[in-house]
Amino acid sequence: MNYNLNVGYGAAWLKSLREKYASAGKLFIVCKSTHEAYDRIADIVIPDPNGNVRLFTTVTAAITAANARINWSGTPWGNSDTILVMPGKYEENLEALPHACNLIGLGHDIGDAQNGVKIAPEEGAPVDVDTWVNGYCENIQFESPDDTACFDADICNNTTFKHCRFVGVSGQSCAQGFTTKDADRLNLIDCEFIDVLIGFQVIYADSGDKFHDSSIRHCKMTNITNKGIYLTTNLLVNGTVIGDNYIQCTANSSIGIDDDSDGAIVANNTVIVGTSGTPLDTNGDLSVNNVTMIKGGNRAILPAFS
């Protein structure tokens, strides 16, 4: 993407963005005022007579605008808007997420000073919300500076995360990369979890809490201290697949995948734990073709379904 914009072809640039990301709704662009392209983007966004494209300097403001357009009594109630975030570090604590909306970062931060999109507050959780429904998130890093979770949503239904990173600061004991209590159709695809105590967890809190028809696929979890994936007892789990992931836990007593619900299908994962760790604590009848390695060289391949 070329960010060296001028008014001469700015309209065509906006049109291409709307066609790619927000053909069914409005396009909200987030760009820090200090970004080199901010003034040029403002020159071409502000004249938009229909308000189909709007410019914000914070992710929080764009989310507020997107949610304000929702008609909860309508059918459909959502608008299929898209929030497109320009590269940069956004020191924000997101306390709401855009329902029925896409949240997409331009540029993927890969941890080596590349200029991607980071939600990285000075303190507290990058995301701490009650609910996110009908959402899509791509190419964004959520970075916790302390022991708070990178992403905390009590309810997370019909949402997909792709190419996202959930990162704790080394030595700060970030509690979780992603934590929720109730989820239907939650999908994490090609995501990374780094330097956290627990990579991903669903915690039973109330009767009926569930993790149905969901998937964790092609994700990589490294420098995990406690557990890679954790589903707690009493959680209702049906139709959920944990597959084709790489999980590396560093502590000797760590657990790679701990499914106390005994309800998830666990297949084709590679799990490495410390010398006294447990690679898999799952339902053997639902676990197939997982490669497990215990630090020191022990290796086992679990049998197929029995």
Side-chain angles (χ1 to χ4, degrees):
M1 182 68 69
N2 186 348
Y3 303 119
N4 296 318
L5 307 175
N6 58 54
V7 176
Y9 64 86
W13 181 73
L14 286 184
K15 181 181 179 182
S16 67
L17 288 180
R18 286 206 68 221
E19 289 176 346
K20 181 176 181 179
Y21 295 110
S23 60
K26 294 186 181 296
L27 178 63
F28 301 135
I29 298 176
V30 180
C31 182
K32 295 174 71 70
S33 60
T34 54
H35 193 284
E36 61 180 7
Y38 176 80
D39 289 338
R40 294 187 289 276
I41 294 175
D43 286 341
I44 59 177
V45 169
I46 292 175
D48 179 13
N50 298 316
N52 289 320
V53 183
R54 297 177 61 186
L55 177 63
F56 301 86
T57 57
T58 68
V59 180
T60 299
I63 290 173
T64 299
N67 283 337
R69 285 183 12 90
I70 292 175
N71 176 10
W72 291 107
S73 62
T75 303
W77 52 263
N79 300 290
S80 299
D81 294 334
T82 294
I83 297 174
L84 201 61
V85 188
M86 296 288 285
K89 180 180 180 181
Y90 295 82
E91 296 178 344
E92 303 181 48
N93 301 94
L94 302 183
E95 297 179 347
L97 289 172
H99 301 298
C101 185
N102 305 310
L103 180 61
I104 299 175
L106 284 178
H108 183 43
D109 188 284
I110 57 175
D112 63 350
Q114 297 299 307
N115 192 18
V117 176
K118 291 183 181 180
I119 308 298
E122 292 185 353
E123 62 179 6
V127 174
D128 189 352
V129 301
D130 292 331
T131 305
W132 194 26
V133 295
N134 292 19
Y136 178 83
C137 184
E138 182 176 350
N139 283 353
I140 294 181
Q141 174 167 308
F142 302 93
E143 184 176 303
S144 172
D146 45 41
D147 61 357
T148 56
C150 301
F151 195 104
D152 187 340
D154 285 351
I155 299 173
C156 205
N157 290 336
N158 198 30
T159 56
T160 295
F161 296 80
K162 188 175 182 180
H163 296 157
C164 291
R165 305 176 87 233
F166 306 89
V167 181
V169 175
S170 180
Q172 295 302 310
S173 299
C174 171
Q176 300 94 20
F178 191 114
T179 181
T180 185
K181 298 174 183 176
D182 191 7
D184 266 338
R185 302 179 304 282
L186 168 61
N187 299 288
L188 291 96
I189 305 167
D190 291 325
C191 293
E192 294 185 65
F193 302 77
I194 305 170
D195 286 320
V196 295
L197 297 181
I198 298 176
F200 172 89
Q201 71 174 17
V202 185
I203 299 295
Y204 174 88
D206 297 302
S207 177
D209 281 351
K210 59 194 175 300
F211 187 40
H212 286 336
D213 301 316
S214 301
S215 65
I216 305 173
R217 295 187 288 117
H218 300 287
C219 291
K220 182 171 70 172
M221 302 184 179
T222 55
N223 293 337
I224 306 299
T225 305
N226 191 345
K227 300 179 181 183
I229 297 173
Y230 182 36
L231 309 181
T232 63
T233 304
N234 296 325
L235 194 67
L236 302 175
V237 179
N238 183 56
T240 290
V241 177
I242 300 171
D244 298 290
N245 302 291
Y246 171 83
I247 301 172
Q248 178 251 331
C249 299
T250 56
N252 286 338
S253 58
S254 56
I255 302 175
I257 301 175
D258 187 1
D259 179 13
D260 288 342
S261 76
D262 286 333
I265 298 170
V266 181
N268 302 314
N269 299 283
T270 298
V271 183
I272 302 173
V273 296
T275 52
S276 58
T278 303
L280 298 178
D281 185 356
T282 60
N283 184 341
D285 291 336
L286 297 178
S287 299
V288 59
N289 294 338
N290 297 286
V291 176
T292 64
M293 304 175 69
I294 298 175
K295 189 175 180 180
N298 296 327
R299 180 177 183 276
I301 300 179
L302 295 186
F305 295 110
S306 59

